[in-house]
Amino acid sequence: MNIIQENIETYFGLHELPSDQREEILIRVGNLAYQNIVIACLEIMTEHEQDEFNKILENQGSVEEVSGYLKAKVKNFEEIAQSEVVKLKDKITL
């Protein structure tokens, strides 16, 4: 489980749900959170870093490659990930 999924599980209180429901929510909310996190990171990255990141996306980089790049280039990536999940939690009621 990656940091985004861990934050979603924690902030949305998914621990007590059956695994199939938890997985479905993790996927749906994870996609929304991921988009918000990427946008927040792009605002911080230099133009060169954005170009490198776009190349990873164009080459259909894995989730591990994408998040690894963001973690390497955005010093406070984990704080951003947590913040974006909290913002999403405030907007969504399950």
Side-chain angles (χ1 to χ4, degrees), residues 6-92:
E6 289 173 10
N7 283 326
I8 292 168
E9 192 166 290
T10 299
Y11 290 105
F12 282 81
L14 304 181
H15 304 323
E16 297 176 15
L17 291 176
S19 62
D20 59 332
Q21 288 179 343
R22 184 173 53 243
E23 284 298 317
E24 182 179 338
I25 292 171
L26 280 172
I27 290 168
R28 289 179 183 217
V29 174
N31 287 336
L32 292 171
Y34 178 77
Q35 291 173 10
N36 293 342
I37 292 165
V38 168
I39 290 168
C41 289
L42 286 171
E43 291 174 356
I44 295 171
M45 294 188 312
T46 66
E47 188 173 330
H48 176 70
E49 291 169 337
Q50 291 176 9
D51 290 341
E52 288 179 336
F53 183 69
N54 283 331
K55 287 178 187 175
I56 293 170
L57 295 178
E58 288 171 0
N59 291 326
Q60 298 179 342
S62 68
V63 172
E64 292 80 17
E65 288 176 296
V66 170
S67 61
Y69 184 83
L70 293 175
K71 286 179 187 177
K73 298 299 180 181
V74 179
K75 292 179 183 175
N76 58 338
F77 173 78
E78 290 187 8
E79 293 171 15
I80 290 171
Q82 180 178 353
S83 173
E84 292 301 323
V85 170
V86 169
K87 287 178 190 176
L88 199 53
K89 170 67 171 100
D90 291 342
K91 293 179 184 176
I92 296 176

